[in-house]
Amino acid sequence: EWPLRPGDKYKMDGADVPATMELLCPDGSTKEKKTHIKVKSTTYSSATFWSLQGKFNTVSCNRDWTLPFCVKHLRQRYSNFIGNRQEIVDGFRACFAHGKGSINGFKEKK
């Protein structure tokens, strides 16, 4: 039994962990066999979410109606992402770069 706390990360790396296999025979009967397995896992007890907000300016939207697809593609690419938050922030920032709009919702990297 492990005491899980919010934000904890657990790694398990074990060889020869006791296990029970349940075998299904061709005649429909089952048998149990004691064995050992190797377990390797990384588990997170919680996830963190934050909001990124931006607004495209009217001139840019009138020039390029596909601008919102940049944000849509980011959502699709990172929907189940486990990694460095800055990678997502950089991608979001790029959608609004070169005067296309303004962003807020996170602290700028100095």
Side-chain angles (χ1 to χ4, degrees):
E1 187 174 318
W2 295 353
L4 295 178
R5 296 180 306 269
D8 286 348
K9 174 181 173 180
Y10 298 93
K11 286 189 173 185
M12 295 186 298
D13 192 356
D16 295 325
V17 176
T20 304
M21 284 193 313
E22 186 173 316
L23 307 169
L24 177 62
C25 300
D27 66 0
S29 65
T30 60
K31 294 181 182 179
E32 286 188 356
K33 179 181 178 189
K34 300 290 183 189
T35 187
H36 291 84
I37 61 172
K38 182 175 181 180
V39 176
K40 187 168 188 166
S41 173
T42 301
T43 302
Y44 299 86
S45 62
S46 66
T48 302
F49 300 92
W50 73 96
S51 173
L52 297 174
Q53 301 172 11
K55 182 177 181 182
F56 293 108
N57 64 49
T58 304
V59 173
S60 294
C61 279
N62 288 340
R63 254 189 271 152
D64 184 359
W65 62 270
T66 65
L67 289 179
F69 289 105
C70 180
V71 176
K72 181 181 178 181
H73 290 140
L74 276 176
R75 290 185 67 182
Q76 291 170 343
R77 179 176 178 188
Y78 294 108
S79 64
N80 295 309
F81 181 71
I82 297 175
N84 188 338
R85 169 184 164 157
Q86 193 61 45
E87 185 177 337
I88 298 170
V89 172
D90 291 345
F92 189 79
R93 186 181 294 123
C95 291
F96 295 88
H98 309 295
K100 292 181 255 182
S102 59
I103 53 178
N104 60 20
F106 59 91
K107 292 184 180 182
E108 291 291 329
K109 187 168 96 174
K110 303 274 178 183

